[in-house]
Amino acid sequence: MTIQFKKGVLELCVLALLDSRDRYGYEIAASLTKGIDISDGTVYPVLRRLQQDDYLTSYLCESQGGAPRKYYTLTPKGKEFLSLLVEEWRRFSAQVDTIIHGGEESE
Amino acid sequence: MNKDQFLATLNEALSPLSRSEREDILSDYIEHFRAGQENGKTQEEVAEGLGDPSELARAYIEELAGAKESGRDTAAQANPAQSGTPSSQAVQVPPLRPYAPAGTAQGAPASQEKPQGSQALGIVLVVLFNFFLGAWLLLSLACAVIALWAVPISLFAGGLAVMVGAIVSFSGMLPLIFSLLGISLMALSGLAGIGMYYVSYYFIRFIAIYIKFCAKLCREGI
């Protein structure tokens, strides 16, 4: 369960970051690793999978440094999937909260 | 590890994939190194932040090998919550990718999702093992534990009998001596009783664990 779970949460986080605006890989990795204890590299397989599943598309855009950067953007399908994941996450964490509080009461 | 070492290790570990796939993946990391260095990091720092390249490669390879399954998972999860649009679910299943060799990532998908067949196998094995060996072994062990309870019981009865017998039939110093003997036998029976209590306790716990294990095998397969 844990691998699937972690994958799912990472997908959710990546999609959520892209919901506010388009970002490039390094940016996404930096935002994620600030809060979650994963290595930067973990982000790229997730991005790739999401792109293959048509939740994201990418485009190249010139950066100040000169070299083009690959920006990722959500597709309509990706937005739909994100709202589904968010809903699922809310329900799941609410259930966990209930269990945690229930456990505290009984002790 | 510097940039070149990182990329070389990653490239090596990605060798089951096609060349264009590999180049595509590596380009993401090359860009990451560039962005990291623009942010004032050294190659080594970026490489360290990225993590173990062979570990990362495994994610890609498992991904491709398990792409079909994970697609089905997503669709299954989406089902209860999603309102309508069955067509969009159908698209979620990515096409089978021919270049993912079946052998490379056998471990991962198998541990994540058990096929139906292995569950049936689990039930058959549990039933067969218990019918021919497991249940009989446990039964005889249970008999042995019950039989061992005879030790404290008989020690207690013996001690009591020695004491009462001596008091009833002898006079003088003898009842006192035999009483002491009887009491020490009863004390010994107490110790044996405590020992047997623990033996029984752990035996019952062992049986509980064993039953749970069997149930788990039946439920989740081998």
Side-chain angles (χ1 to χ4, degrees):
Chain A
M1 179 238 180
T2 45
I3 301 170
Q4 288 293 83
F5 183 73
K6 211 169 158 188
K7 270 186 190 168
V9 173
L10 275 184
E11 278 181 6
L12 168 58
C13 293
V14 168
L15 291 170
L17 280 173
L18 290 173
D19 197 31
S20 53
R21 62 180 169 86
D22 296 356
R23 293 166 198 262
Y24 56 95
Y26 186 85
E27 219 185 339
I28 298 170
S31 315
L32 279 186
T33 49
K34 221 184 283 172
I36 308 177
D37 185 25
I38 47 161
S39 55
D40 287 330
T42 327
V43 173
Y44 291 102
V46 174
L47 282 171
R48 196 173 170 77
R49 175 177 54 237
L50 289 171
Q51 200 172 356
Q52 270 163 352
D53 289 350
D54 297 325
Y55 297 131
L56 306 177
T57 52
S58 62
Y59 58 91
L60 290 177
C61 192
E62 295 294 316
S63 68
Q64 301 98 321
R69 269 178 189 157
K70 196 175 176 185
Y71 277 80
Y72 295 89
T73 184
L74 279 187
T75 62
K77 198 182 154 192
K79 286 197 176 172
E80 200 185 315
F81 186 51
L82 170 63
S83 57
L84 193 90
L85 286 181
V86 168
E87 193 190 311
E88 226 168 65
W89 172 260
R90 294 243 161 90
R91 205 169 40 217
F92 177 76
S93 66
Q95 281 163 351
V96 173
D97 279 346
T98 316
I99 291 169
I100 291 172
H101 294 313
E104 275 173 358
E105 274 167 27
S106 69
E107 269 171 31
Chain B
M1 196 185 283
N2 64 23
K3 178 181 165 184
D4 289 337
Q5 285 165 331
F6 181 92
L7 293 175
T9 315
L10 185 60
N11 190 36
E12 177 71 21
L14 287 173
S15 56
L17 305 188
S18 74
R19 198 176 146 202
S20 62
E21 283 278 328
R22 256 187 346 242
E23 279 170 6
D24 204 25
I25 292 171
L26 286 178
S27 73
D28 284 341
Y29 292 93
I30 293 169
E31 190 194 304
H32 189 93
F33 270 101
R34 198 164 52 223
Q37 285 173 284
E38 278 168 22
N39 280 290
K41 288 190 179 175
T42 65
Q43 284 186 6
E44 283 74 15
E45 280 168 349
V46 178
E48 196 183 327
L50 279 170
D52 179 8
S54 19
E55 194 79 20
L56 291 172
R58 206 158 56 207
Y60 289 103
I61 290 164
E62 276 172 13
E63 205 63 62
L64 296 172
K68 210 178 142 211
E69 285 181 28
S70 68
R72 200 176 53 217
D73 276 359
T74 334
Q77 281 170 6
N79 247 336
Q82 205 163 37
S83 50
T85 63
S87 57
S88 75
Q89 282 175 19
V91 199
Q92 280 175 1
V93 181
L96 204 89
R97 290 171 182 83
Y99 45 74
T104 39
Q106 263 175 345
S111 65
Q112 284 162 19
E113 197 179 322
K114 303 279 174 23
Q116 196 67 34
S118 90
Q119 192 192 1
L121 182 69
I123 294 172
V124 168
L125 282 182
V126 165
V127 169
L128 279 182
F129 177 75
N130 279 313
F131 187 76
F132 284 109
L133 190 65
W136 306 113
L137 215 61
L138 280 184
L139 199 64
S140 47
L141 271 176
C143 290
V145 169
I146 291 168
L148 277 173
W149 270 103
V151 172
I153 292 170
S154 56
L155 275 174
F156 183 83
L160 198 68
V162 164
M163 205 166 87
V164 173
I167 290 169
V168 171
S169 14
F170 298 118
S171 58
M173 280 296 281
L174 279 176
L176 186 64
I177 294 167
F178 277 101
S179 292
L180 285 176
L181 186 67
I183 287 169
S184 56
L185 276 176
M186 281 192 275
L188 202 62
S189 106
L191 284 178
I194 292 169
M196 281 313 296
Y197 169 78
Y198 281 111
V199 168
S200 311
Y201 175 74
Y202 285 110
F203 181 69
I204 287 167
R205 272 188 50 178
F206 170 74
I207 289 185
I209 290 169
Y210 176 74
I211 289 173
K212 266 188 205 159
F213 174 70
C214 286
K216 186 168 167 267
L217 277 186
C218 289
R219 223 175 323 113
E220 296 174 11
I222 302 288

